[in-house]
Amino acid sequence: MKRPTDELREIVARALAEDVGHGDVTATATIPEHARARAFLVQKQPGVLFGLDAAREALIQSGAERFEALLPEGEWRDDVPAKAATASGPARALLAGERVALNLLAHLSGIATLTARFVEAVGGSGVRILDTRKTTPGLRALEKAAVAAGGGENHRMGLYDAILIKENHAAIAGGVEQAVRRARAAQPCLPIEVEARDLDEVRAAVGAGADRVLLDNMGPEQLRAAVAAARDGGGGSALEASGGVTLATIAEVAATGVDLISVGALTHSAPALDVSMELQPG
């Protein structure tokens, strides 16, 4: 297992401080100080496991002495319950880190699992599934890593690593063409994406040389028309559908001819995967 990053250490430290506070009064009152235990993290629901590094960090920071992953991450697993990892050390330490470890593991595994479902739903189409910036504040790097573990791809990490020209940018800049021109001059090495809400905006974005056009909140018929308009324009812009896409609708969206589909729900609405921690004396 790779070494934790400074960001992961800080995330876990803040979570533990929030949960443990000045001490675990229940464990202190009921568990002998020198009692030792072994813990098993258990995947109880089918899905994609991800987040063992975060769980490990939570338990180690709490005082666990040993942590070992027992299952690979990033793979769909149906044969559950299954022991995903084991940890050992002082019983009080394992109990202090339990909830933070499980919260992170369940949340990140839930994201990876939902992503895998979306990827499976467009299987064979060649369409790629992207996340968005609709992430939990402070957890973006972890959540986007979970998307990748589920087979999705990361959109821009933030406002700093790619250009996405939206309606308000274009309005202040003097139009799509002017906005793209300004962006190219200011950041020639960054990819440029332009949000389009109708066919005129699609044509303008393609004509301006956008690397990608975001087809925002369009239904299947609108998407097919937008794809045709973009291809007729002769540009090489990739086409990304976005807005309200669900597991029930994504196959139809993929069939319109778009190249990518971004899904905010991957990070803002993924249900937690059911995981637990079982403790044994010794």
Side-chain angles (χ1 to χ4, degrees):
M1 188 167 292
K2 60 181 180 294
R3 293 168 59 85
T5 63
D6 290 341
E7 183 176 11
L8 178 56
R9 291 192 189 95
E10 291 169 4
I11 288 170
V12 169
R14 287 195 299 269
L16 287 171
E18 175 183 63
D19 196 36
V20 179
H22 61 268
D24 179 354
V25 294
T26 304
T28 302
T30 61
I31 305 297
E33 180 180 0
H34 300 294
R36 297 182 61 80
R38 187 179 186 191
F40 289 98
L41 297 179
V42 180
Q43 178 180 344
K44 301 174 69 177
Q45 180 182 1
V48 178
L49 187 73
F50 184 76
L52 290 177
D53 282 342
R56 176 190 185 280
E57 185 64 16
L59 292 170
I60 293 298
Q61 282 195 28
S62 297
E65 298 165 352
R66 181 173 174 273
F67 183 98
E68 179 185 1
L70 302 177
L71 292 179
E73 295 185 304
E75 298 179 6
W76 187 279
R77 178 171 294 277
D78 283 314
D79 54 329
V80 293
K83 292 178 179 177
T86 182
S88 59
R92 289 183 182 180
L94 296 172
L95 289 166
E98 175 184 7
R99 179 41 52 197
V100 171
L102 291 178
N103 282 352
L104 289 169
L105 182 61
H107 177 57
L108 297 175
S109 296
I111 290 172
T113 297
L114 183 59
T115 302
R117 292 187 185 279
F118 272 93
V119 171
E120 181 183 27
V122 299
S125 68
V127 172
R128 292 137 56 200
I129 302 299
L130 305 178
D131 55 23
T132 71
R133 287 167 50 236
K134 296 177 181 178
T135 54
T136 307
L139 295 183
R140 179 170 295 175
L142 294 181
E143 291 180 343
K144 282 182 171 282
V147 168
E153 297 183 17
N154 298 146
H155 207 286
R156 56 181 180 161
M157 291 298 293
L159 296 174
Y160 54 86
D161 63 338
I163 292 171
L164 176 49
I165 298 169
K166 296 191 174 185
E167 174 189 3
N168 289 334
H169 298 102
I172 301 302
V176 168
E177 292 186 12
Q178 182 74 347
V180 172
R181 186 161 51 248
R182 287 175 178 270
R184 288 277 186 224
Q187 297 287 350
C189 296
L190 291 182
I192 296 176
E193 183 168 10
V194 177
E195 181 183 79
R197 297 164 301 163
D198 55 41
L199 296 186
D200 288 339
E201 290 182 351
V202 171
R203 295 186 184 99
V206 173
D211 298 297
R212 184 183 298 177
V213 181
L214 177 64
L215 307 174
D216 188 40
N217 285 303
M218 294 185 182
E221 289 187 13
Q222 290 174 296
L223 286 171
R224 282 190 287 271
V227 170
R231 303 306 184 220
D232 289 345
S237 306
L239 303 176
E240 173 188 341
S242 183
V245 181
T246 68
L247 281 170
T249 63
I250 194 167
E252 187 177 11
V253 173
T256 63
V258 296
D259 304 295
L260 312 107
I261 302 174
S262 53
V263 183
L266 298 182
T267 50
H268 71 58
S269 296
L273 194 72
D274 190 4
V275 295
S276 67
M277 190 172 92
E278 301 174 356
L279 223 61
Q280 298 176 352

